[in-house]
């Protein structure tokens, strides 16, 4: 579906940014928060619906909602393969757009 392709493209751009394979103007958009041995991307707060759709906001929400085994992929090729498998095994009802919480709400 279109929704899954959008999620895939955004997640891939964030993965490349986090791992230093994207231009600096994208890499600089993300801050990190540590939780013990893991990290999450900081999600900036917004005041408007348009702000919630910004790449700097929606990117971390999508990335943070992915399972650890996908986020910790060793390279972009394995990340893409794992992410495609993950997204296309989920039904459209399981991928609910919720800008206030996480992009991928698991029912």
């Amino acid at each position: 579906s279109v929704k899954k392709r959008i999620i895939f493209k955004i997640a891939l751009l964030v993965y490349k940014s986090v791992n230093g394979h994207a231009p600096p103007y994208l890499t600089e958009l993300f801050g990190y928060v540590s939780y013990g041995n893991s990290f999450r991307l900081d999600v900036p707060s917004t005041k408007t619906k348009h702000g919630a759709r910004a790449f700097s906001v929606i990117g971390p929400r999508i990335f943070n909602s992915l399972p650890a085994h996908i986020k910790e992929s060793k390279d972009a090729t394995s990340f893409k393969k794992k992410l495609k498998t993950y997204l296309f095994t989920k039904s459209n009802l399981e991928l609910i757009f919720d800008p206030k919480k996480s992009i991928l709400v698991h029912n």
Side-chain angles (χ1 to χ4, degrees), residues 7-8 10-11 14 39-43 57-72 79 83 86-87 90 94-107:
I7 291 169
F8 177 83
I10 292 172
V14 174
F39 80 93
R40 293 177 62 81
L41 295 176
D42 186 35
V43 179
V57 176
I58 207 73
R61 285 198 175 135
I62 290 173
F63 194 76
N64 288 343
S65 66
L66 296 174
H69 77 278
I70 297 174
K71 292 189 283 190
E72 296 166 358
F79 177 81
L83 181 59
Y86 174 74
L87 288 176
K90 297 291 178 191
E94 291 177 300
L95 298 175
I96 299 170
F97 180 79
D98 187 350
K100 299 241 186 226
K101 296 179 185 170
S102 172
I103 216 58
L104 303 178
V105 178
H106 309 287
N107 294 336

Side-chain angles (χ1 to χ4, degrees), residues 10-83:
I10 292 172
L12 181 59
L13 265 177
V14 174
Y15 176 83
K16 287 180 177 181
S17 298
V18 167
N19 290 290
H21 300 294
Y25 71 89
L26 288 177
T27 306
E28 294 168 359
L29 291 176
F30 305 113
Y32 304 93
V33 180
S34 300
Y35 292 104
N37 292 338
S38 65
F39 80 93
R40 293 177 62 81
L41 295 176
D42 186 35
V43 179
S45 61
T46 62
K47 295 182 181 184
T48 65
K49 289 180 183 179
H50 294 292
R53 294 179 181 174
F55 178 69
S56 60
V57 176
I58 207 73
R61 285 198 175 135
I62 290 173
F63 194 76
N64 288 343
S65 66
L66 296 174
H69 77 278
I70 297 174
K71 292 189 283 190
E72 296 166 358
S73 297
K74 298 205 184 274
D75 56 38
T77 303
S78 65
F79 177 81
K80 288 191 283 188
K81 182 178 177 182
K82 290 175 186 177
L83 181 59

